[in-house]
Amino acid sequence: RYNVVFRDDKSYGYILVTGHEFPQIRFYRGVHEKPHRYFGPFPSSLAARESIQLIQKTFLLRTCEEAVFAHRSRPCLMYQIKRCKAPCVGKLSAEEYAADVRLAELFLKGRHSEVIDRLSAQMEAAAAALRFEEAAALRDQVRALQAVLHRQYVSSTRDTDVDIVAAVVEHGELCVNLAMVRGGLHLG
């Protein structure tokens, strides 16, 4: 006889994009409130945190708390190491930041090819306008996203979300493994 315990939805992690003028991206567990947007659930907090790290590296969204954001007079270390675009001190407009947030949200919704196509079009436009540094940064974004998608891709004949459960009993011990595939990507 085996006791099997399933985690309820509260044990999963979500990615939260706050509903502010310059949204913050962060890990979240708890009650969903408007106007924030939630993506997930992720199978573990580690998977959610890894996704946040990828999104932050690629789209340079802020992760700082509201109190820190509201009282900045100079860009922080995250700006210096090219992990944030410093919207707190006006290094870019609300519209430019909102465009980055929209791309990140599309990526989190699983619309990867659309995001890569948009970034590629922006890269070509920047190169045509002789803004080569901007084009190179966009090229690096596209490559980073493609590398992640290549690692996570699961080939399937059907375009459905799948949960794969495997169980093995050996020497009186039970091992159960759950793999979650959403939109062709292995989430963990």
Side-chain angles (χ1 to χ4, degrees):
R1 180 170 181 190
Y2 302 101
N3 291 328
V4 180
V5 178
F6 292 98
R7 295 185 299 181
D8 62 0
D9 200 35
K10 293 177 186 168
S11 66
Y12 291 91
Y14 287 85
I15 292 178
L16 166 69
V17 177
T18 61
H20 299 97
E21 181 181 14
F22 292 98
Q24 169 197 25
I25 184 169
R26 66 179 183 190
F27 177 77
Y28 183 79
R29 278 189 185 138
V31 178
H32 294 194
E33 300 172 356
K34 291 188 177 190
H36 308 307
R37 292 166 311 284
Y38 302 86
F39 299 91
F42 286 80
S44 69
S45 63
L46 179 63
R49 291 178 200 280
E50 285 177 349
S51 296
I52 290 170
Q53 206 170 36
L54 167 71
I55 296 294
Q56 191 215 11
K57 277 183 183 177
T58 306
F59 299 103
L60 307 179
L61 302 183
R62 74 180 185 93
T63 56
C64 58
E65 295 295 326
E66 293 303 318
V68 174
F69 179 79
H71 296 95
R72 298 276 333 161
S73 59
R74 315 180 303 196
C76 66
L77 178 62
M78 297 304 275
Y79 174 76
Q80 301 297 325
I81 63 172
K82 301 193 182 333
R83 290 279 188 94
C84 180
K85 292 184 177 178
C88 54
V89 292
K91 293 283 186 186
L92 77 160
S93 69
E95 294 81 24
E96 291 169 319
Y97 190 79
D100 290 335
V101 171
R102 277 192 300 277
L103 284 176
E105 288 179 344
L106 284 174
F107 189 79
L108 287 168
K109 289 178 182 175
R111 294 165 62 184
H112 309 113
S113 59
E114 187 176 337
V115 172
I116 290 172
D117 290 346
R118 285 186 187 189
L119 289 172
S120 297
Q122 289 175 8
M123 176 184 67
E124 291 172 13
L130 306 179
R131 297 188 315 268
F132 297 118
E133 291 86 7
E134 182 183 337
L138 289 164
R139 178 203 61 212
D140 293 344
Q141 278 184 298
V142 168
R143 285 183 179 167
L145 293 175
Q146 287 173 333
V148 168
L149 293 176
H150 181 70
R151 269 197 332 255
Q152 292 182 329
Y153 184 71
V154 176
S155 180
S156 174
T157 57
R158 288 187 265 156
D159 190 27
T160 59
D161 296 339
V162 179
D163 292 329
I164 304 163
V165 179
V168 175
V169 177
E170 194 171 293
H171 305 294
E173 294 184 358
L174 172 68
C175 178
V176 179
N177 188 24
L178 169 65
M180 300 171 70
V181 177
R182 300 289 180 266
L185 295 181
H186 178 248
L187 296 181

